[in-house]
């Protein structure tokens, strides 16, 4: 009798304890470049709050002492303006080193009148937030700079101790820091191991310290208030509506003065030709002249309609920014080089904004840029960046009513900003930055 065999069972696999890696990775910088940038942040901003607080306290003391003669109020206003500048310096450094793009502070509204000017300056929320940030960050900055510096120096000294021990000629074979000492070379390996551990953990410590800085910057330097955000959106919406209305008026004016006038002239010439055909005898030469003129009017109307359509949305943009800007540069009457490096294609609305901003900046470069310019388009960290460099005499600035101010206003509805660097003698570097949707 055959007994049924028991079903074959695969051997049980040992249970493996899986430790989540993602939370641990967040403790370290994502790239070596980020680690170097965060180290540079702690080094550059370690003493900056101390210097700024000393200047602010000196100015505040002098201002309070001279307040009865009104000069003190002006000094206090200067102190608040300086605090705003120091806060702006930290904001720009955070953007460059910590990859923390903070929105620029709102402008201070200045109503007519001395009293309104004084209250607006003394009640500047951005300046007071900068004062709070500098005072809160002062002890933390000193502790972070000294602590991280000492930790990194200890790691380097300990890790390299086996090598320095062989070069040391004194009998103690010690280092004059951190009491690092060993009588035998094998004993230096323990110091080397501890240095390796410290150097491995040091980027995580720096990353943690800069994380606290990021929190302080978001909380104090940037104004996250809903009221400011609503105010900004209201301003940008009004700007977008005004610009749309102006575009409609421009299109209506161009149609009325351009293509419509040409079409009216063509209709009149064709009407005269029709009357000549009904006459007896028929003047063929006169009819040919009228038809030729009407034909010229029709071609001119087509050209103006094509130019008008290109001004609304260039056809080359359908193929992307690279082709559109290259076409724009090839049709320019000066030397223009274009470089477009994009990891993905931006939305059509942003492409249109960048295209027209580049076109206007290239027009400015043709007037003031010594006959050549460079156009760069790239995306970095969810930001679309347009940079136009010309080699003119410099001196360009964003002034109300100017061409650069118009470009800045065009960028605002998309939360973009325009920066200009134009020292005397050049070169002029204009950068337009727009946030990309994630």
């Amino acid at each position: 009798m055959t007994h049924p065999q028991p079903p074959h069972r695969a051997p049980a696999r040992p249970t493996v304890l899986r430790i989540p890696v993602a939370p641990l990775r967040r403790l370290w910088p994502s790239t070596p470049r980020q680690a170097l940038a965060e180290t540079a942040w702690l080094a550059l901003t370690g003493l900056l709050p101390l210097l700024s607080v000393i200047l602010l306290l000196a100015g505040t003391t002098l201002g309070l002492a001279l307040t009865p003669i009104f000069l003190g109020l002006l000094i206090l206003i200067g102190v608040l303006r300086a605090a705003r500048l120091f806060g702006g310096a930290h904001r720009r450094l955070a953007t460059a080193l910590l990859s923390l793009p903070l929105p620029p502070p709102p402008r201070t509204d200045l109503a007519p009148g001395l009293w309104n000017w004084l209250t607006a300056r003394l009640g500047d929320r951005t300046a007071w937030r900068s004062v709070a940030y500098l005072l809160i960050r002062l002890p933390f900055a000193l502790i972070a700079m000294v602590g991280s510096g000492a930790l990194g120096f200890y790691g380097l000294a300990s890790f390299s101790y086996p090598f320095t021990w062989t070069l040391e000629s004194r009998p103690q074979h010690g280092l004059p820091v951190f009491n690092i000492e060993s009588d035998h070379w094998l004993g230096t390996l323990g110091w080397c191991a501890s240095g390796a551990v410290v150097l491995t953990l040091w980027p995580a410590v720096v990353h943690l310290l800069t994380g606290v800085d990021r929190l302080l910057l978001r909380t104090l330097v940037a104004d996250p208030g809903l009221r400011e955000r609503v105010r900004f959106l209201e301003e940008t919406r009004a700007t977008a509506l005004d610009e749309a209305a102006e575009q409609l008026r421009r299109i209506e004016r161009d149609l009325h003065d351009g293509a419509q006038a040409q079409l009216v002239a063509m209709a009149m010439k064709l009407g005269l030709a029709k009357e000549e055909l009904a006459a007896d005898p028929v003047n063929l030469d006169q009819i040919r002249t009228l038809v030729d003129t009407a034909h010229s009017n029709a071609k001119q109307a087509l050209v103006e309609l094509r130019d008008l359509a290109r001004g609304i949305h260039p056809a080359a943009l359908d193929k992307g920014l690279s082709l559109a800007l290259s076409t724009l540069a090839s049709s320019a009457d000066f030397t223009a080089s274009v470089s477009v490096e994009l990891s993905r294609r931006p939305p059509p609305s942003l492409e249109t904004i960048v295209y027209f901003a580049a076109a206007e900046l290239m027009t400015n470069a043709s007037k003031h840029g010594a006959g050549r310019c460079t156009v760069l388009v790239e995306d970095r960290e969810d930001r679309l960046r347009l940079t136009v460099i010309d080699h003119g005499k410099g001196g360009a600035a964003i002034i109300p009513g100017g061409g650069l101010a118009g470009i800045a206003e065009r960028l605002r509805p998309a939360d973009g900003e325009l920066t200009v660097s134009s020292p005397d003698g050049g070169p002029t570097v204009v950068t337009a930055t727009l946030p990309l949707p994630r």
Side-chain angles (χ1 to χ4, degrees), residues 4-63:
Q5 297 292 330
H8 177 71
R9 294 182 181 180
R13 295 182 179 180
T15 303
V16 179
L17 179 61
R18 298 183 181 273
I19 301 176
V21 181
L24 295 178
R25 288 179 178 174
R26 296 195 189 105
L27 298 177
W28 271 265
S30 57
T31 60
R33 181 179 178 181
Q34 183 184 2
L36 291 176
E38 291 177 347
T39 305
W41 164 265
L42 292 182
L44 292 176
T45 62
L47 295 178
L48 184 58
L50 178 61
L51 174 63
S52 58
V53 168
I54 291 175
L55 294 177
L56 295 179
L57 288 178
T60 302
T61 302
L62 182 62

Side-chain angles (χ1 to χ4, degrees), residues 143-273:
I143 294 173
M145 183 184 67
V146 174
S148 62
L151 190 65
F153 188 62
Y154 169 80
L156 288 174
S158 300
F159 184 73
S160 61
Y161 185 47
F163 176 73
T164 57
W165 189 93
T166 59
L167 301 178
E168 180 62 56
S169 60
R170 294 179 299 176
Q172 290 82 6
H173 289 82
L175 293 179
V177 291
F178 301 110
N179 198 25
I180 298 176
E181 185 177 348
S182 177
D183 294 332
H184 306 284
W185 185 83
L186 291 177
T188 64
L189 298 180
W191 289 104
C192 180
S194 66
V197 173
V198 169
L199 289 179
T200 302
L201 296 177
W202 186 65
V205 175
V206 173
H207 189 61
L208 177 62
L209 294 174
T210 55
V212 177
D213 267 329
R214 287 184 175 92
L215 178 61
L216 290 175
L217 287 165
R218 289 193 187 99
T219 305
L220 296 175
V221 175
D223 190 351
L226 180 60
R227 183 173 61 182
E228 295 297 336
R229 182 60 178 169
V230 170
R231 177 185 173 186
F232 175 76
L233 292 176
E234 289 177 348
E235 291 178 354
T236 55
R237 183 185 65 178
T239 301
L241 291 175
D242 292 342
E243 184 177 354
E246 177 62 27
Q247 291 289 339
L248 289 176
R249 286 193 295 269
R250 181 184 64 82
I251 293 172
E252 181 182 4
R253 183 173 59 251
D254 292 343
L255 285 174
H256 182 271
D257 299 337
Q260 181 178 347
Q262 296 294 335
L263 292 174
V264 169
M266 181 183 69
M268 292 176 60
K269 299 301 180 185
L270 291 177
L272 292 175

Side-chain angles (χ1 to χ4, degrees), residues 101-396:
L102 299 173
R107 299 189 185 120
T108 303
D109 295 330
L110 299 177
L114 178 61
W115 176 253
N116 294 327
W117 182 82
L118 287 174
T119 54
R121 290 301 187 190
L122 292 174
D124 188 355
R125 292 180 57 193
T126 301
W128 285 109
R129 296 173 75 91
S130 298
V131 170
Y133 171 76
L134 293 172
L135 292 176
I136 293 174
R137 192 179 183 273
L138 175 59
F140 173 77
L142 295 177
I143 294 173
M145 183 184 67
V146 174
S148 62
L151 190 65
F153 188 62
Y154 169 80
L156 288 174
S158 300
F159 184 73
S160 61
Y161 185 47
F163 176 73
T164 57
W165 189 93
T166 59
L167 301 178
E168 180 62 56
S169 60
R170 294 179 299 176
Q172 290 82 6
H173 289 82
L175 293 179
V177 291
F178 301 110
N179 198 25
I180 298 176
E181 185 177 348
S182 177
D183 294 332
H184 306 284
W185 185 83
L186 291 177
T188 64
L189 298 180
W191 289 104
C192 180
S194 66
V197 173
V198 169
L199 289 179
T200 302
L201 296 177
W202 186 65
V205 175
V206 173
H207 189 61
L208 177 62
L209 294 174
T210 55
V212 177
D213 267 329
R214 287 184 175 92
L215 178 61
L216 290 175
L217 287 165
R218 289 193 187 99
T219 305
L220 296 175
V221 175
D223 190 351
L226 180 60
R227 183 173 61 182
E228 295 297 336
R229 182 60 178 169
V230 170
R231 177 185 173 186
F232 175 76
L233 292 176
E234 289 177 348
E235 291 178 354
T236 55
R237 183 185 65 178
T239 301
L241 291 175
D242 292 342
E243 184 177 354
E246 177 62 27
Q247 291 289 339
L248 289 176
R249 286 193 295 269
R250 181 184 64 82
I251 293 172
E252 181 182 4
R253 183 173 59 251
D254 292 343
L255 285 174
H256 182 271
D257 299 337
Q260 181 178 347
Q262 296 294 335
L263 292 174
V264 169
M266 181 183 69
M268 292 176 60
K269 299 301 180 185
L270 291 177
L272 292 175
K274 181 180 179 181
E275 293 178 359
E276 288 292 334
L277 287 174
D280 189 17
V282 176
N283 190 343
L284 293 179
D285 293 335
Q286 181 69 19
I287 294 174
R288 288 193 190 97
T289 302
L290 292 173
V291 172
D292 288 341
T293 305
H295 184 236
S296 299
N297 293 138
K299 291 194 296 183
Q300 184 63 29
L302 288 175
V303 171
E304 294 182 357
L305 287 173
R306 190 181 299 114
D307 293 339
L308 182 61
R310 189 181 297 114
I312 299 172
H313 180 79
L317 268 181
D318 295 336
K319 302 296 183 180
L321 270 175
S322 180
L323 177 61
L325 293 179
S326 299
T327 304
L328 186 65
S330 63
S331 62
D333 56 353
F334 63 100
T335 304
S337 60
V338 176
S339 175
V340 179
E341 298 180 0
L342 298 175
S343 60
R344 56 190 174 99
R345 184 168 180 178
S349 58
L350 296 186
E351 285 186 332
T352 304
I353 293 175
V354 170
Y355 176 85
F356 284 111
E360 190 162 349
L361 291 174
M362 290 172 67
T363 302
N364 292 341
S366 67
K367 299 177 182 177
H368 314 290
R372 59 192 178 98
C373 77
T374 303
V375 181
L376 306 175
V377 180
E378 57 187 351
D379 54 347
R380 292 183 180 177
E381 299 169 355
D382 295 329
R383 308 284 289 183
L384 179 61
R385 183 175 301 170
L386 164 70
T387 304
V388 178
I389 306 171
D390 69 60
H391 301 275
K393 61 182 180 180

